[in-house]
Amino acid sequence: MTQVSEQDAAEADIDRTPQAGRPRNRLDRFRRRRLLAHVSILSKLILMMVLCTVLASAVIGGIAFKAGRASIREAVFSRLTEVRGSQTRALTNQISDLRNSLITYTQGVSTQTALEEFTAGFDQLSTVQITPAQSQTITDYYNNTFIKEVEQYSGTKLDAAALLPTTNPERYLQANYTALRKDDDNAITINDARDGSMWSAANARFQDFFRQIVTRFDFEDALLLDGRGNVVYSAYKDVDLGTNILDGPYSGSKLRQAYLKAMSANQIDYVGFTDFEFYQPAEMQPTAWMVAPLLKNGRAEGVLALQFPITKINRLMTFDKQWQQAGMGETGETVLGGPDDLMRSDSRLFLEDPQQYKSAVVEAGTPPDVADMAIRQGGTTLIQKMTSAATLNAQKGETGTVITKDYLGQETLQAYAPLVIKDSELHWSIVAKVTTAEAFARETAFTKTVVLVTTGIVFVVCLLAISLAQIFVRPIRRLEAGAQRISAGDYNVAIPVDSRDEIGDLTVAFNEMGRSLTVKEDLINQQRKENDELLRSLMPDALAERFKQGEEIIAVEHQNVTVIFADLIGLDRLQAELATDASLALVNELIRQIDAAAENFGMETVHTVRNGYLASCGLIVPRLDNVRRTVDFAMECQRIVERFNAETGNDLQLRAGIDTGMVSSGLLGRPSVVYDMWGAVVNLAHQIKDGSPQPGIYVTSHVYEVLQETMQFDSAGSVSVDGEANPIWRLAERH
């Protein structure tokens, strides 16, 4: 190549006359080819895009500036005004229909009778006894379920002691219904706790009636409040069941004022509607209330309150997320605002892309913590401010249109109006809006022009793209095919290098990457296999998998587990009498036999420390007969020790403590981790084992109650745990 270049250059220098044109043209073509081969792919892309953009901008820009915007603005505003009016009518009609339905229900005999029976049942519970187990069930539900859910949505810490039920009826109902809920669907299907109370009898009679009201109209809950403010009934049995709305933990809710107004209304057709608020029993979800008095002989005896979720408003205001089908285009939406300048419906952009919403509102001036709260709550209601000229004018009672920036910082066309609901404290504003970019771009005259111009531009762009793509697409496709082979596990890929540009450099690097990946994959697979084997030898497979995923704190609660804590009496003496190797061999053989027995009985060994042996049943694999299996395992351990004594001439004895109940397990320590199990059950089993001077199998009252009919136990006194005496029993000796 060097010789050719020098020869061509020499010929060009010797003869520069017109007759020497052929050698010069050949040299120029050669130089152009070399220059093109050294041009980067970025330069090629820029060249293509510049040509297309200049042509498109010149044509479209000239036409756009000639298009009149006055008629376009008028057409868009007319459409927004029509949508605003339609949404206003739909919302008021929806609330009117719900109001009429509520009036019908409150005037029915069923609701009146239900209030009387639930109130009577509620009063009867004032003297009922609450067992310690029921109290613990309530506490566990608040600490492990309700408090966590509320804190997750609100982002603030709650004081469980301030929320726990205090009165007997409240504690009884929440122990038998609220704390036993598994989810909302489960809660509303509960007809009878079968506790024999008058309240449960009333619930069995009327639950289906109120369930139909809640499910048919998509309410969050239905409450009955007596004349003293007690929530004597809840369809979903939430934590407000049994509380008093006047002085209870949720007396700060808007329901309190709505209740007082309804009780003093003395109107047969009165229905109150509150504004939305963050209601704590609803896990801090935005909630409004529809309330109506229950009259008897012209006097209010109580109130029926229907919990109105924000989802009903959002389904209407967001066109059930079918904005384009409703004619709102790519950016159009309708939004409700309140007198506090906060939204009463969700943002369209939030529902479509929460992260993009966050970026937009933060850039527009919304504090980041407000955007984060919206994402945590799952909506913008009562969170996102909207303080444009449209909402401010609507709050003043004005109706009109305006071009202004919205809460996203976008220039928008907005049609606004006040929205007032009869017999309510609502003073909302409704805004229908669309960005100016979309509004002016989708009008008919402009669209026809754009279609014609775009068709021509697309044709030209296609020709340019086809011509230029042939130059650089071919090596990219080869790289793509090579990447697909690597992703499929074939690292023996070698792509020829045809150019010296970035694609050529990338091809060289790609080939080198394929070679290095083969070596690294083998090393990684070997290391991963060794790590997996080590982890599974230290902890259960499920915890090992979570540990591999990077969880630093792993703890699991298990509700029904039986724990055995055993030690071998005389093992210290045996180890002292024998040489280290001999004693270790005997101990290992003994532990091997015990481990084999544990596997046969479905026991899960936690760890072995000196003379102690900690195991469980039902921890990893739930078993209904875990108590029986554990006691059988302990008896088998006794037989193993007896055989060991007979074979070796030693005198070892087994002493074991067994308890059943809820335990926790997980990984302890940093950076070294140890799989362990803890909890009151483990502690009690250990105390029984240590507190029993004689060999044998000792169990707690929980185990004794399960097996007393099939096994014989002798009372063995009690052990003290945290100052409390716990009776224990000793398994009778076999004869």
Side-chain angles (χ1 to χ4, degrees):
M1 293 297 292
T2 304
Q3 294 177 354
V4 172
S5 299
E6 291 174 352
Q7 182 179 356
D8 289 341
E11 291 177 357
D13 292 338
I14 293 172
D15 190 356
R16 298 182 181 274
T17 63
Q19 291 79 10
R22 291 186 65 183
R24 184 187 304 169
N25 290 340
R26 186 175 62 183
L27 180 60
D28 289 343
R29 288 196 299 272
F30 179 74
R31 287 175 176 172
R32 284 197 296 271
R33 287 196 299 269
R34 291 198 62 186
L35 178 62
L36 188 60
H38 285 80
V39 173
S40 68
I41 189 172
L42 178 61
S43 300
K44 297 171 186 175
L45 289 172
I46 292 175
L47 175 62
M48 181 179 67
M49 296 303 298
V50 166
L51 290 175
C52 297
T53 304
V54 168
L55 179 60
S57 299
V59 177
I60 297 177
I63 297 173
F65 277 103
K66 294 179 182 179
R69 300 187 65 183
S71 59
I72 297 176
R73 182 180 304 177
E74 181 180 354
V76 175
F77 275 138
S78 296
R79 171 59 180 160
L80 290 177
T81 302
E82 178 184 349
V83 171
R84 182 200 66 200
S86 174
Q87 291 291 79
T88 300
R89 290 189 297 273
L91 181 58
T92 53
N93 289 339
Q94 182 186 68
I95 294 178
S96 177
D97 291 342
L98 292 174
R99 175 188 285 111
N100 293 334
S101 299
L102 182 55
I103 292 173
T104 302
Y105 286 125
T106 54
Q107 294 180 11
V109 176
S110 295
T111 310
Q112 296 281 354
T113 306
L115 176 63
E116 294 174 359
E117 294 192 15
F118 278 117
T119 301
F122 186 87
D123 292 341
Q124 185 192 45
L125 298 177
S126 61
T127 58
V128 73
Q129 293 295 324
I130 308 299
T131 67
Q134 290 176 322
S135 297
Q136 187 61 46
T137 300
I138 297 172
T139 302
D140 291 343
Y141 176 78
Y142 273 77
N143 290 330
N144 300 330
T145 302
F146 175 67
I147 297 295
K148 290 182 178 179
E149 290 178 354
V150 174
E151 290 179 349
Q152 176 185 352
Y153 289 112
S154 65
T156 58
K157 293 293 183 181
L158 300 181
D159 181 11
L163 300 177
L164 285 172
T166 55
T167 66
N168 261 26
E170 183 182 359
R171 295 172 63 203
Y172 184 88
L173 292 176
Q174 293 196 21
N176 285 276
Y177 287 92
T178 306
L180 301 181
R181 305 183 332 152
K182 293 183 174 57
D183 49 49
D184 281 346
D185 291 337
N186 166 266
I188 201 170
T189 59
I190 298 176
N191 291 334
D192 191 353
R194 303 189 182 281
D195 58 332
S197 65
M198 288 178 57
W199 196 95
S200 291
N203 189 69
R205 179 180 177 186
F206 294 104
Q207 176 70 7
D208 185 65
F209 172 74
F210 289 105
R211 176 167 52 234
Q212 293 295 328
I213 297 176
V214 171
T215 55
R216 286 181 181 273
F217 294 99
D218 293 331
F219 285 111
E220 189 72 19
D221 202 354
L223 307 181
L224 285 177
L225 294 88
D226 64 12
R228 299 159 296 180
N230 295 315
V231 180
V232 297
Y233 171 77
S234 166
Y236 274 104
K237 313 300 186 292
D238 272 323
V239 294
D240 48 5
L241 176 62
T243 62
N244 189 286
I245 198 61
L246 300 178
D247 56 13
Y250 312 114
S251 58
S253 165
K254 294 181 183 294
L255 178 59
R256 183 180 191 274
Q257 293 301 322
Y259 166 80
L260 293 175
K261 288 183 180 179
M263 289 295 293
S264 60
N266 283 330
Q267 299 177 18
I268 194 170
D269 60 347
Y270 173 81
V271 174
F273 194 100
T274 72
D275 202 347
F276 282 94
E277 63 174 342
F278 290 124
Y279 188 54
Q280 197 173 80
E283 289 81 37
M284 298 303 289
Q285 293 300 303
T287 301
W289 296 95
M290 294 187 70
V291 298
L294 297 171
L295 303 178
K296 183 177 182 180
N297 299 325
R299 180 176 176 273
E301 297 291 332
V303 166
L304 172 60
L306 299 180
Q307 192 172 334
F308 194 93
I310 192 61
T311 53
K312 295 177 72 68
I313 297 292
N314 280 328
R315 190 178 301 119
L316 174 64
M317 297 306 297
T318 63
F319 304 96
D320 203 13
K321 299 183 181 180
Q322 303 296 316
W323 294 279
Q324 293 195 18
Q325 291 84 334
M328 298 303 290
E330 296 290 338
T331 61
E333 64 174 327
T334 56
V335 187
L336 291 176
D340 52 5
D341 297 330
L342 297 177
M343 285 185 174
R344 293 303 189 272
S345 61
D346 284 342
S347 159
R348 172 179 179 173
L349 182 59
F350 177 88
L351 297 176
E352 292 179 333
D353 190 338
Q355 293 303 321
Q356 186 179 350
Y357 154 82
K358 178 181 177 180
S359 300
V361 296
V362 170
E363 185 176 350
T366 298
D369 58 334
V370 173
D372 289 335
M373 183 178 180
I375 293 176
R376 186 169 57 250
Q377 284 284 114
T380 58
T381 303
L382 298 179
I383 298 174
Q384 178 62 51
K385 279 187 173 293
M386 42 185 299
T387 55
S388 67
T391 55
L392 296 177
N393 292 340
Q395 286 299 321
K396 297 176 183 177
E398 301 175 5
T399 301
T401 58
V402 67
I403 297 180
T404 183
K405 286 190 175 182
D406 63 359
Y407 63 94
L408 297 171
Q410 300 173 327
E411 193 76 15
T412 56
L413 289 78
Q414 301 187 16
Y416 59 88
L419 179 65
V420 180
I421 306 298
K422 180 182 178 182
D423 294 333
S424 73
E425 60 183 59
L426 303 182
H427 298 283
W428 291 347
S429 57
I430 182 171
V431 176
K433 67 184 185 69
V434 67
T435 61
T436 55
E438 181 180 1
F440 296 144
R442 63 182 184 176
E443 295 305 319
T444 305
F446 186 77
T447 302
K448 290 180 179 179
T449 304
V450 169
V451 169
L452 294 175
V453 176
T454 303
T455 302
I457 293 175
V458 168
F459 180 76
V460 174
V461 169
C462 288
L463 293 178
L464 292 174
I466 291 173
S467 300
L468 295 175
Q470 298 302 320
I471 301 173
F472 54 84
V473 167
R474 190 176 298 110
I476 293 177
R477 287 177 176 171
R478 285 200 297 264
L479 283 172
E480 179 184 7
Q484 290 175 349
R485 290 177 59 186
I486 286 183
S487 66
D490 181 11
Y491 298 135
N492 297 319
V493 179
I495 300 176
V497 181
D498 296 334
S499 63
R500 301 179 184 178
D501 57 12
E502 286 89 340
I503 292 182
D505 296 339
L506 179 61
T507 304
V508 173
F510 183 87
N511 292 335
E512 182 62 29
M513 179 189 69
R515 288 189 291 269
S516 63
L517 282 176
T518 302
V519 177
K520 292 179 179 178
E521 184 186 45
D522 293 337
L523 294 175
I524 290 173
N525 289 339
Q526 180 63 29
Q527 186 63 44
R528 184 183 294 116
K529 181 178 179 181
E530 294 175 0
N531 291 342
D532 288 346
E533 292 175 355
L534 178 59
L535 279 178
R536 286 180 170 83
S537 69
L538 297 175
M539 63 191 70
D541 289 352
L543 268 66
E545 192 63 30
R546 293 173 60 184
F547 184 79
K548 285 165 54 181
Q549 297 299 326
E551 290 191 44
E552 295 185 359
I553 300 177
I554 303 178
V556 182
E557 287 191 353
H558 311 270
Q559 297 296 327
N560 184 17
V561 178
T562 302
V563 176
I564 177 171
F565 217 122
D567 64 6
L568 298 174
I569 302 174
L571 191 60
D572 288 338
R573 178 182 52 77
L574 177 63
Q575 292 173 336
E577 293 174 354
L578 298 176
T580 302
D581 293 342
S583 64
L584 183 60
L586 289 176
V587 171
N588 285 342
E589 175 59 21
L590 185 59
I591 296 301
R592 184 193 64 77
Q593 294 182 31
I594 293 176
D595 286 342
E599 183 176 356
N600 291 336
F601 284 92
M603 302 296 295
E604 297 134 356
T605 302
V606 179
H607 58 72
T608 303
V609 179
R610 296 185 73 249
N611 302 345
Y613 189 93
L614 176 60
S616 65
C617 187
L619 184 72
I620 299 173
V621 179
R623 299 182 186 275
L624 296 177
D625 60 342
N626 57 75
V627 175
R628 180 59 183 249
R629 284 174 175 265
T630 305
V631 175
D632 288 344
F633 166 70
M635 295 169 63
E636 179 62 23
C637 289
Q638 279 186 329
R639 288 189 284 271
I640 291 173
V641 171
E642 291 172 359
R643 288 197 300 269
F644 177 85
N645 291 336
E647 294 171 358
T648 62
N650 291 292
D651 186 22
L652 301 182
Q653 292 179 312
L654 179 76
R655 180 173 57 195
I658 302 176
D659 192 12
T660 185
M662 185 180 72
V663 302
S664 298
S665 68
L667 304 183
L668 303 176
R670 276 291 176 193
S672 299
V673 295
V674 175
Y675 175 67
D676 204 352
M677 178 173 62
W678 62 90
V681 171
V682 179
N683 295 339
L684 186 53
H686 184 268
Q687 286 290 96
I688 293 174
K689 184 264 296 182
D690 285 348
S692 303
Q694 298 299 322
I697 300 172
Y698 296 86
V699 302
T700 64
S701 57
H702 300 98
V703 178
Y704 172 76
E705 291 172 0
V706 174
L707 301 178
Q708 61 178 334
E709 294 182 2
T710 58
M711 291 186 175
Q712 184 176 353
F713 295 89
D714 298 323
S715 176
S718 63
V719 295
S720 178
V721 178
D722 296 332
E724 180 181 353
N726 293 268
I728 61 175
W729 282 261
R730 185 176 185 270
L731 183 66
E733 296 290 341
R734 302 185 305 272
H735 299 289

